[in-house]
Structure formats: C-alpha cells, structure tokens
Amino acid sequence: MFRIVHTRQISDAVFEMGVEAPRIARKAKAGQFLMVRVAEGGERIPLTFSDWSAEEDWIRFIYMRVGKTTHQLSHLSVGDELADVVGPLGTPTHVEGVGRVAVIGGGVGAAVAYPVARAMSAAGARVTVILGARNAELLVLEDELRALPGVTVNVVTDDGSAGEKGLVTAPLKRLCEAGALDHAFAVGPAIMMKFCAATTAEFGVPTTVSLNPIMVDGTGMCGACRVTIGDQIRFGCVDGPDFDGHLVNWEELMSRQRVYVDDERVADADYQRECSCHK
Amino acid sequence: MSQVDESGLSGQTPAEKPRHKPSRAPRTPMPERAAAVRRSDFEEVAFGYSAEQAQAEANRCLQCKNPTCEQGCPVNIRIKDFIAAIIDGEWTDGVEILKERNALPAVCGRVCPQEEQCEASCVLAKKGEPVAIGRLERFLGDHDLTCDLEHRCTPQIAEPSGKRCAVVGSGPAGLACAGELARLGHSVTVMESLHAPGGVLSYGIPEFRLPKAIVAAEIEMLEVMGVTIECDQVIGRIATVEDLMTEEGYDAVFIGSGAGLPVFLGIPGENLNGVYSANEFLTRVNLMRAYEFPTSDTPVWRGRKVAVVGGGNVAMDAARTALRLGAEEVFLAYRRTAEEMPARKEEVHHAIEEGVEFKMLCSPVEIRGRDGWVTGLVANRMELGEPDESGRRAPVCVMDADFEIECDTVISAVGTRANPLLHDAAPDLELNRRGYIVTDENGATNLPGVFAGGDIVTGAATVILAMGAGKKAAAGMHRWLTDA
Ligand SMILES: Cc1cc2nc3c(=O)[nH]c(=O)nc-3n(C[C@H](O)[C@H](O)[C@H](O)COP(=O)(O)OP(=O)(O)OC[C@H]3O[C@@H](n4cnc5c(N)ncnc54)[C@H](O)[C@@H]3O)c2cc1C
Ligand SMILES: Cc1cc2nc3c(=O)[nH]c(=O)nc-3n(C[C@H](O)[C@H](O)[C@H](O)COP(=O)(O)OP(=O)(O)OC[C@H]3O[C@@H](n4cnc5c(N)ncnc54)[C@H](O)[C@@H]3O)c2cc1C
Ligand code: FES
C-alpha cells in the first residue's frame, strides 16, 4: 500500500497527489510515468511524474478527472492509501543538449510539460513553454512554470479567456519562422501533438512527442500500447512514451484510444451513481 | 509439523507390504462440468477425483519394479511411491513424496502436459490407457490445500544461514527457487513487477483451468515458510541487479522473469481495434478480471466472432476465454493440423467440446478492417510438407489468400520473447542470440552470484520445467553462498 501524503486541487478538474514511495523517488526521471491502481479490482492507469523528492521519499503526479479511476483518486485524502504504484516506467525524456527548445503542453499535458521544462532548463536549454487550454479555467501550472529559472511562458486559450486566443500551433509556428528553435517537445491530446508535429515538420525542427496510448501492465508484456513509428511497431510503455513526432501514425493512435469509450462511460456512470447513493 | 525425513513409505521394503494386485478396470474418467454449462462461466472445468475415484485409479498402477513413468517426469517425482500411498489411503505420505520434488502439485496436476511426460512413459500406455498420474497428483495437491495451514505439508526449514537472496519474478521458476532457498535457511525476498504474484499462473492461465485461489494458497505456503513477496517492483527500473547486490546487500540473485514479450504476426491490419495479443487479452481477463466488468474496472472488447491464431495452450486458453465472454463463434486458425498442435491434449479436447471451431492448415496473411475495426482474417491454405528441423512436418502454402474468416476480433497467440527490461536490469548479463539468459548446468549466469531459470533461459516452455530450473538454481545458489 502507498500512503497519500499530499493532495491539491489545481482547477475544477485537475488535481495533484503526492504518495510516499521511497524506492521510486530515488530513480524517477523527467518524462517517466507510474502505473497506479487505486484499490482491489481497480484499473491500472498511467500517470506521469510531476515532481519527486529522493530526500523526502515522495513522488507526485497531476491528473485530470476524466473517468472512474481519476474520479476515485479525487475522492481520496492525505492518509488514505493507494493499492499499487509502480514505476518509474518508460524511457526518460532526452533533456541534454536540446539547445533552444519549445515545450508545448496542452490541457493536462502541462503536467508532463512541467517536469520536462524543468529538467531541460536545468540541463542548460533555453526553454519556451507554450501552455494551451480550452479556457482560463482549465489552464494549469502556469505559475509553477513561470517560476522556473530562464523559462519563458506563452499562454494560449481556445476562447481567449487567458493569453493569446487560438491554438498552440500559432506561437509554435512563429518560433519556427523566426529560426528560434533547435527542438520541440509536445505533450497533450493526440490531435494537438499531431498538429504540432505537422507545424515543425515544415521547418525541419526535430520534434519529440509524449504519446498516451492505452496501457495495461506498463512493462512491455501485453502490447496494448503499441504504436506505429515510421514502419515499425513500438511499445509506448517501454520504447516510449517519447517518440519522433514526425514518424507517428496519428490516425491509428487516435483510433486505438477510442476502443473502450462505451465501457468507460458505463464504469464512470456506475461509479457516480454509487457515490451519490452514499452521500 | 513436517515428516519429510521420517516419511513412512520410502523406508518400507516391498516385502513388508501386502502384495498389490493391479485392477484391470479402464481409466477412471475425470468428473467434469458439462460443456454447454461451463462454456458460459469461468468456474473450473474439472471437479477432481473423489477419494474413491483416486483409489480406483491408483489401483490400476502396476507398481513396476522399474517405474519408467518417473523418467518421463522432468523433475523425477517418485510417482510409484505416491501412487502406493494413495492405494494405502495415506494421503499425507503421498503429499510429502510429491513435495520432495514438486512444490506446487495442485498446479502441476492441472497444467502439466502429462500425456507427453509421465503418462507417455507409463507401461500401461503401450497397450491401452496409462494411469491418470496427473489427476492423482492433483488429488493429493488439492487434499493438501484443504488442510488448515498448520496441517499442511511444510518442509523442515534449516537453521538461518544469515544470507539474503533476491528472486526477480514470481512465476513458477521464481516461486520454486524461493521455496527451496527458504528451506535451506536463507532469507528470501521475491520481487514481482505486477500487482499480484504467480507469473503466468496468475495473468495467463484462466480461472476455469487453474483457479486463482489455488495459486494464492500455494503462495501463502511460501510466506509461511518465511519468504517475503514484494509486488509492484520492476527490476531494471526501480533497481538494477547490481543495485540489489551492492546498495541493498543481497548475497545472491535469481532471475526468473519469464518470456513475457508478445510476438505479433507481422501482417497488415494488426493494429486495428479488436486485435489483441493473447497476453493482453488474457491479462485483461485473468489478472484484471475484465469478465466481472463493470464490477471490476478494466474492460475487454467482447467480440461476437473471434479468430484466434495459434495452436498451443495459449491459443486454447484465449479461444475458450472468448467463448466465456459471450462470443457466438470462435475459430482457431492453425497452420498445421490438430496432430501437430503443441497444446495439452485435454485442452484441445475441451475446446472442441465447448464449440471452438478448428480451421486447420490455415496461415493468416492479413487482417481486414473498416473504420478502424476488424472485419475479417484472410489466410493462405496450407498443406504439410517435409519435416523441418523440429521434426514436425512443415506447412507449405498451396493457395494464396484463399479464404477470409469473417470476425470482429483477432487474438494472436503465436509466441512470446524475452522482455527487453532485462537489459536495463543487468546490462552485462550474457544473453544468447534470441535474447535469453545463458546459464551453466547449475543455473549460474556469467555474473558472480547471479542465477537464472525458467522461460527467460529456455524460451516459452512449461510450468514444471520452470519449477525444475528454479529449484536447480537454488541448489547452485546454496553452494555459491556456502562455499564463499
Ligand atoms: C504514458 C502516459 C502518461 C499519462 N500521464 C498522465 C498525467 O500525467 N495526467 C493525466 O491526467 N493523465 C495522464 N495520462 C492519461 C491517463 O492515464 C488517463 O486519463 C486515465 O487512464 C483515465 O482513467 P479513468 O478511469 O479516469 O478514465 P476512463 O474513463 O477510463 O478513460 C478516459 C480516457 O483516458 C484514456 N485511458 C483510459 N484508460 C487508460 C489506460 N489504462 N491507459 C492509458 N489511457 C487510458 C482513454 O483515452 C480514455 O478514453 C497518461 C497516459 C499515458 C499513456
Ligand atoms: C496462457 C498460457 C497458458 C499456459 N499453459 C500451460 C500449461 O497448461 N502447462 C504448462 O506446463 N505450461 C503452460 N504455459 C507455460 C508456462 O506457464 C510457462 O512456461 C511458465 O509460467 C514459465 O515460468 P517462469 O517462472 O519462467 O515465468 P513466468 O510465469 O512468465 O513468470 C515471470 C514473472 O516475472 C515477472 N517479471 C518479469 N520481468 C520482471 C522484472 N523486470 N522485475 C520483476 N518481475 C518481473 C513477471 O511479471 C512474471 O510474474 C502457459 C503459458 C501461457 C502464457
Ligand atoms: S502496456 Fe502492456 S506492453 Fe505496454
């Protein structure tokens, strides 16, 4: 069992949780993730490290409440326990020698963008963060990102309720046009990553994307997370989650993410009903 | 508690016993649930012998002077003696004889390919039906599990040696190794990457063939013997083998990480929705209990028409699981014929009884789809040609893309390979061409104090071979720990 040592509500649907996990905290690196199972009978879901402390024995992750498991997480408090926390999984993000880099975080992708931007700036990169969300309400981690040394933050919202109105690809394109980028790193909804990669491809800017295929074990033994990169099948959980954005088969990824939408709706509706019964 | 050393039977000379007169009765059938009933739920297929049935079957044994069956057993269980114990109604003695060589009789009695091992070497097999050794083994294994924990047969544990061993992976190889190390007095911690121990016994082999309560009870026994089991520990990520031996102070390490990486067919359409590796399909259903969805949280796509590719135990398990999830039709596509299938005969028989339709001499070349979802499996028609290096007749194509099986799900059960995380766990470990660990006859690898066994050494094999390898490596580790 893993004891919860920190919880924080960041916005209406976005939360941060800290868990005591000394062995994991000692090995965590930016871009890696955890598999979390809330309780017996629960699903294993992947969540990226947002922060960790080897000295204080904890790890943290930021999650958006989207379905049953993330709802369950949001109902827990400090002192409660999670059944299982497994990690660090996946290959760490390459942060050394990226030069002038744009880190694009869309929606809850900001949770991944934050530790990556922090690690890249610590490794000497010049980081421009492009933070995107549908509206100001859904914008997360802006203050934390602005507090990072030497990191510039651009905010973009679909409705213009904060920062620039539009999509993250607009400031990304301007940076490319200005010849101000050696590298781009994008994380968020697949469709956003697809368009970021399409934008940078035109300018030949190498682009890493952090993919989010559906996972089961997260250790390479099932193949649920397989993605097509160029002409090869790769496993998101061990070969990734970072891949060359210019080689990803996006249509396939987006299609595979939708396999269980009906089931997910059933599970979440059942859970909501159960919760309201107990109130 | 244990009487291993004063085992009643092994000391007895045949002369003291009344002469055994073998019965000429036919092989005692296994009581089973009707195919029509069992194909729609996940409860166990076979009930197991009653005491009367077990004795009736044991009485068929000739008690040969030279029991050839024992040579057919990969771990050389004293089969003749445990059967004699059943004849005499001495269940506890029988269990002890079994457990000398095999720590998990209730498991092996259910899943070993007896028809190729002990039962194939039974003298009775030459003229008719061999003694049902596997069913008798299961009978004793189950008897042991019905006893209270303190009345179960536990081996005598040696004085603490002061040495600490780490076992990576909790499949049959890791469990057998851990049990043996504990018996020899070493302190043992098993580290498992999943949230439940058991390896394939937990995530692969379905409930209806191997109830998880049995696996759990066997594992509980190890804990009683002092073995610590830590789940959620991915070695290679949370610690390397070197970390275990330096920072964490283990004196020796056993790697039994299995051959868990699924192999795909490498044909077009394999990433369509509705295509599963058998590993994913079975893990969702067994480990994550998707058959109880939405009571459990993990979903599985329940196809109406399911095509399973392969001919081994994994393929049979996937096909029969698909039926139980409510499929109307389940096809099994195999490139050779039923004769060459590597699956246990009993599973093939059960699959046919339950209504799995076998499409033999059929080699898939493409998965067709519409809107991202599977609609069919296109296959070549094959025939059997000359024997290949495995001695089996090789399938050769007679008709290209000859036919299409209409289906909404394809499950590929065509094999597994070594998990690549191994390389992160121990970069200097010597591997062979296929990525499996190289060991000597004691299970020792090229790294001092690091041993290995099971599927990660041999490639996908069997439960009993993995257990045998775990036990042998434990003996090697014991020598290494005590000589040093
Ligand atoms: C490598 C990786 C890192 C991730 N990091 C984060 C993160 O830091 N913060 C965050 O909020 N989310 C992250 N996600 C997404 C997160 O795993 C899903 O939001 C979560 O699984 C939803 O579970 P649920 O039961 O609440 O919702 P559900 O109703 O079950 O699912 C909602 C949607 O989430 C996705 N999803 C569901 N189950 C899984 C699964 N087992 N594996 C992957 N995706 C799934 C599907 O697209 C689904 O349609 C990450 C995903 C991956 C693959
Ligand atoms: C569906 C199916 C049906 C089968 N049916 C039969 C049958 O009827 N009869 C038979 O004899 N055999 C059968 N087999 C084969 C048999 O199960 C295997 O040969 C046997 O389980 C191998 O044992 P093992 O201990 O080597 O590996 P496994 O059982 O694979 O166990 C390895 C364990 O190590 C863990 N692990 C892997 N990497 C790490 C890591 N880095 N850190 C920590 N832990 C790790 C895995 O999670 C797993 O739990 C079947 C196999 C399958 C898949
Ligand atoms: S999640 Fe199972 S292999 Fe990646």
Side-chain angles (χ1 to χ4, degrees), chain B residues 163-294:
Chain B
K163 302 284 184 188
R164 297 176 66 222
C165 303
V167 170
V168 179
S170 64
L175 294 176
C177 181
E180 191 63 11
L181 288 169
R183 195 180 69 77
L184 294 165
H186 307 298
S187 145
V188 189
T189 304
V190 178
M191 297 165 192
E192 166 59 47
S193 60
L194 293 171
H195 59 259
V200 170
L201 308 180
S202 291
Y203 77 73
I205 304 182
E207 180 74 21
F208 58 82
R209 200 148 75 79
L210 178 62
K212 299 311 145 210
I214 294 200
V215 180
E218 296 284 26
I219 290 170
E220 192 182 4
M221 198 68 237
L222 285 180
E223 293 183 305
V224 169
M225 289 166 63
V227 173
T228 306
I229 299 182
E230 291 181 355
C231 289
D232 298 334
Q233 309 293 325
V234 186
I235 303 307
R237 296 294 194 204
I238 204 159
T240 61
V241 169
E242 196 187 328
D243 291 341
L244 294 177
M245 297 195 67
T246 53
E247 287 170 28
E248 305 194 18
Y250 288 99
D251 301 297
V253 176
F254 174 79
I255 303 176
S257 55
L261 178 79
V263 172
F264 285 89
L265 294 158
I267 61 176
E270 221 160 6
N271 293 346
L272 286 164
N273 291 341
V275 184
Y276 281 115
S277 73
N279 263 20
E280 178 185 355
F281 184 69
L282 292 171
T283 300
R284 283 183 180 273
V285 177
N286 300 326
L287 181 72
M288 307 310 296
R289 303 211 303 267
Y291 63 92
E292 293 171 353
F293 183 87

Side-chain angles (χ1 to χ4, degrees), chain B residues 216-429:
Chain B
E218 296 284 26
I219 290 170
E220 192 182 4
M221 198 68 237
L222 285 180
E223 293 183 305
V224 169
M225 289 166 63
V227 173
T228 306
I229 299 182
E230 291 181 355
C231 289
D232 298 334
Q233 309 293 325
V234 186
I235 303 307
R237 296 294 194 204
I238 204 159
T240 61
V241 169
E242 196 187 328
D243 291 341
L244 294 177
M245 297 195 67
T246 53
E247 287 170 28
E248 305 194 18
Y250 288 99
D251 301 297
V253 176
F254 174 79
I255 303 176
S257 55
L261 178 79
V263 172
F264 285 89
L265 294 158
I267 61 176
E270 221 160 6
N271 293 346
L272 286 164
N273 291 341
V275 184
Y276 281 115
S277 73
N279 263 20
E280 178 185 355
F281 184 69
L282 292 171
T283 300
R284 283 183 180 273
V285 177
N286 300 326
L287 181 72
M288 307 310 296
R289 303 211 303 267
Y291 63 92
E292 293 171 353
F293 183 87
T295 307
S296 67
D297 294 345
T298 306
V300 66
W301 162 247
R302 294 171 182 242
R304 256 182 345 98
K305 291 188 178 190
V306 179
V308 177
V309 184
N313 286 320
V314 187
M316 297 303 146
D317 285 345
R320 297 171 69 199
T321 297
L323 276 178
R324 284 162 172 77
L325 289 174
E328 290 156 18
E329 286 175 280
V330 177
F331 308 102
L332 191 116
Y334 182 55
R335 35 188 208 126
R336 305 180 203 242
T337 69
E339 283 294 293
E340 287 81 22
M341 279 191 178
R344 293 178 80 219
K345 290 287 164 295
E346 190 180 20
E347 310 313 330
V348 174
H349 168 73
H350 281 156
I352 295 171
E353 267 187 356
E354 289 168 10
V356 173
E357 198 177 313
F358 284 32
K359 303 252 184 203
M360 298 296 95
L361 293 166
C362 155
S363 176
V365 289
E366 184 189 344
I367 301 169
R368 293 224 172 112
R370 198 180 318 114
D371 304 327
W373 287 85
V374 171
T375 57
L377 180 70
V378 183
N380 285 347
R381 179 88 57 199
M382 314 298 278
E383 80 183 13
L384 290 182
E386 295 299 308
D388 61 13
E389 62 271 30
S390 75
R392 293 184 299 177
R393 292 174 65 193
V396 283
C397 177
V398 282
M399 286 267 253
D400 267 341
D402 176 39
F403 59 100
E404 179 168 345
I405 302 172
E406 190 197 316
C407 59
D408 55 11
T409 308
V410 174
I411 301 171
S412 125
V414 293
T416 52
R417 281 209 294 264
N419 191 308
L421 280 179
L422 189 65
H423 184 73
D424 298 329
D428 301 327
L429 200 60

Side-chain angles (χ1 to χ4, degrees), chain A residues 179-216:
Chain A
L181 284 187
D182 301 314
H183 201 99
F185 176 92
V187 55
I191 189 79
M192 180 210 88
M193 294 191 275
K194 174 185 167 176
F195 283 107
C196 287
T199 305
T200 56
E202 248 181 81
F203 300 91
V205 175
T207 300
T208 305
V209 289
S210 176
L211 300 186
N212 49 359
I214 288 183
M215 296 187 177
V216 181

